[in-house]
Amino acid sequence: MTAYLLERAWVDGAVHDGVLVAVEAGRFTEVRLAEGPAVPDVVRVPGLTVPGLANAHSHAFHRALRGRTQRGSGTFWTWRDQMYAVAERLDPDGYRELARAAYREMVAAGITTVGEFHYLHHQPDGTPYDEPNEMGLALVEAAREAGLRITLLDTCYLSAGFGRPPEGVQRRYSDGTADAWAERAALLGPAAGVVHGAAIHSVRAVPRDQLGTVVAAATGRPLHVHLSEQVAENDGCRAAYGVTPTRLLADAGALGPLTSAVHATHLTTDDVDLLGDSRTSACFCPTTERDLADGIGPSRRLHERGSPLTVGSDSHAVVDLFEEMRAVELDERLATQERGHWTAAELLAAATYDGHASLGFPDAGRIALGHRADLVTLDTASPRTAGTGADEHTVVFAASAADVTQVMVDGRVVVRQGDREQIGRELDAAIGRLWT
């Protein structure tokens, strides 16, 4: 057992001075204010400490695009062509190296669990590897080496668009049928710190008659789906099926408390009702949605209707969940010309407990007895945080990933202040090899 005295910590929805936590076998065995008997050999942790953050939506290989796709103009669809160029280059060893470096960047930013939306399954010509899940296993190993947990959201991707077979690099995404996808995904065995979830890439990539198979295979597990990220997706779905993507998923039984709708940008009132009534989580990725000019989704309306909010870094244009949190509020301000839609406590809950729950880790994201011992400590005297009050408002509206000084995952300190330079070198090497 190791005891830690946290100078300040966010516990039970509020920031408290002097919080004593004891950790044993990766879990909190004691959480209390430091009033009372002194604890010998306590480790003092200066700064403001919060629970571990959950990155609910990630495409690890997109990290190689940062600084490249921002040049010039275009749309989501022109960006996608650049993304496909990276997808064509990756093999299992390169994927593992790139993902490990990307995940190390995430841990240094306070992320203790990542939801990896994984569809890069096969060889470039679509032929399976000898180990059918070699690319997915590369991601699991990368997360283990980086020191964070992973929910591998093995993704069904069967078509290039409504009624169109896979084209080009998309061949390595496809298993041919949902049954074949389910058979391959079922071969993934249990591993510590790993949740095996499922994903429907989008309604354009999984035909309506295949959706039920994916839903059935995902029973009891997290199920994620890109939803209404683009107006063109909505138009195509209406043309093909006569309904919105949300209605199509609802009719297939895909919505529910274990489901996360990623982006959920261009929704009708009926769509919001369907998502809220089913308690489907809404995963917003504001830095990516801004970078790709996707639009601003109705985060507050979804929340008030019943959809828990989570956040993700998606394409990793930025890896900073503090920025994602505050961007949810700031984007609402831009869309409505009014302030004060989300409280700091609500946004922090989205990035911690609710995010972890959406990834199949309901025992993470809180500094609480019996929960996983994840701690993220922030410098409260940096140029960004100094003079802000060192409370939840500092965390959400002032701090950045650069203010993280220490990260504990399952009771083990995996990042300390000063590790960033090495992480930068690892990223530079992995991305450099990919582009040469």
Side-chain angles (χ1 to χ4, degrees):
M1 186 271 287
T2 304
Y4 298 88
L5 180 59
L6 311 178
E7 180 183 11
R8 304 204 84 196
W10 194 64
V11 180
D12 292 333
V15 171
H16 302 274
D17 290 324
V19 175
L20 183 73
V21 299
V23 176
E24 188 171 2
R27 302 212 174 237
F28 293 117
T29 56
E30 185 176 10
V31 177
R32 64 175 174 85
L33 297 182
E35 303 164 350
V39 177
D41 301 321
V42 67
V43 178
R44 295 181 179 275
V45 182
L48 173 57
T49 299
V50 298
L53 307 179
N55 188 352
H57 189 65
S58 162
H59 301 288
F61 75 93
H62 290 190
R63 177 59 181 84
L65 295 167
R66 187 187 298 175
R68 289 175 167 82
T69 59
Q70 285 78 15
R71 303 166 187 171
S73 59
T75 66
F76 168 88
W77 306 102
T78 53
W79 168 88
R80 190 178 71 161
D81 291 339
Q82 296 171 294
M83 180 267 287
Y84 282 174
V86 177
E88 287 179 325
R89 292 169 175 258
L90 287 166
D91 59 22
D93 289 340
Y95 203 16
R96 174 183 165 186
E97 182 183 18
L98 176 59
R100 179 176 61 238
Y103 293 158
R104 286 264 285 155
E105 181 182 10
M106 289 184 199
V107 178
I111 293 164
T112 55
T113 301
V114 61
E116 184 62 36
F117 202 98
H118 167 56
Y119 52 82
L120 196 57
H121 301 306
H122 306 301
Q123 298 181 59
D125 65 355
T127 303
Y129 289 98
D130 291 340
E131 162 51 69
N133 288 299
E134 187 158 357
M135 295 292 267
L137 293 172
L139 290 166
V140 169
E141 181 62 15
R144 185 192 67 77
E145 292 175 351
L148 80 170
R149 295 182 296 270
I150 185 171
T151 297
L152 187 67
L153 298 159
D154 198 286
T155 304
C156 186
Y157 191 120
L158 305 175
S159 64
F162 299 98
R164 293 164 47 205
E167 303 165 353
V169 71
Q170 294 168 346
R171 289 192 293 269
R172 72 184 309 188
Y173 307 165
S174 177
D175 291 289
T177 67
D179 283 328
W181 163 80
E183 290 173 10
R184 178 188 52 74
L187 298 174
L188 288 162
V194 180
V195 167
H196 291 298
I200 296 164
H201 179 274
S202 57
V203 296
R204 68 178 186 274
V206 180
R208 176 167 59 181
D209 63 359
Q210 303 282 304
L211 290 172
T213 300
V214 182
V215 172
T219 300
R221 300 185 289 146
L223 174 64
H224 289 219
V225 56
H226 292 134
L227 178 65
S228 292
E229 183 178 4
Q230 291 290 318
V231 172
E233 176 185 306
N234 290 357
D235 293 344
C237 188
R238 286 192 180 96
Y241 303 123
V243 294
T244 67
T246 304
R247 172 57 69 179
L248 188 71
L249 292 170
D251 291 346
L255 304 183
L258 291 177
T259 300
S260 290
V262 182
H263 302 304
T265 306
H266 303 284
L267 303 179
T268 67
T269 298
D270 183 56
D271 293 339
V272 172
D273 291 343
L274 289 169
L275 293 168
D277 288 345
S278 61
R279 299 287 297 168
T280 297
S281 291
C283 180
F284 276 49
C285 308
T287 62
T288 292
E289 289 148 10
R290 292 189 306 218
D291 184 51
L292 301 183
D294 287 341
I296 299 171
S299 64
R300 191 68 208 183
R301 283 200 293 128
L302 282 163
H303 183 76
E304 290 176 350
R305 197 66 180 82
S307 290
L309 173 71
T310 65
V311 292
S313 64
D314 191 6
S315 68
H316 316 311
V318 175
V319 173
D320 189 337
L321 290 197
F322 305 99
E323 172 62 21
E324 305 292 351
M325 281 186 269
R326 65 175 155 265
V328 172
E329 164 64 19
L330 297 181
D331 285 356
E332 283 273 12
R333 294 181 187 185
L334 289 175
T336 64
Q337 300 180 57
E338 293 182 0
R339 304 175 76 231
H341 301 269
W342 291 90
T343 68
E346 288 175 325
L347 292 169
L348 192 48
T352 54
Y353 176 76
D354 288 336
H356 277 101
S358 78
L359 296 176
F361 288 100
D363 57 349
R366 287 191 174 118
I367 302 175
L369 191 65
H371 273 57
R372 292 175 179 268
D374 297 348
L375 296 173
V376 175
T377 303
L378 299 168
D379 180 1
T380 56
S382 80
R384 290 164 295 277
T385 60
T388 62
D391 59 13
E392 66 270 24
H393 300 90
T394 299
V395 177
V396 175
F397 293 110
S400 80
D403 296 312
V404 174
T405 59
Q406 180 173 287
V407 180
M408 176 186 292
V409 182
D410 286 334
R412 184 171 67 95
V413 175
V414 294
V415 168
R416 291 181 171 86
Q417 197 166 22
D419 288 348
R420 285 190 175 84
E421 185 176 341
Q422 175 60 31
I423 293 169
R425 287 194 293 266
E426 292 172 13
L427 281 161
D428 194 53
I431 294 170
R433 277 190 281 274
L434 179 65
W435 286 111
T436 55

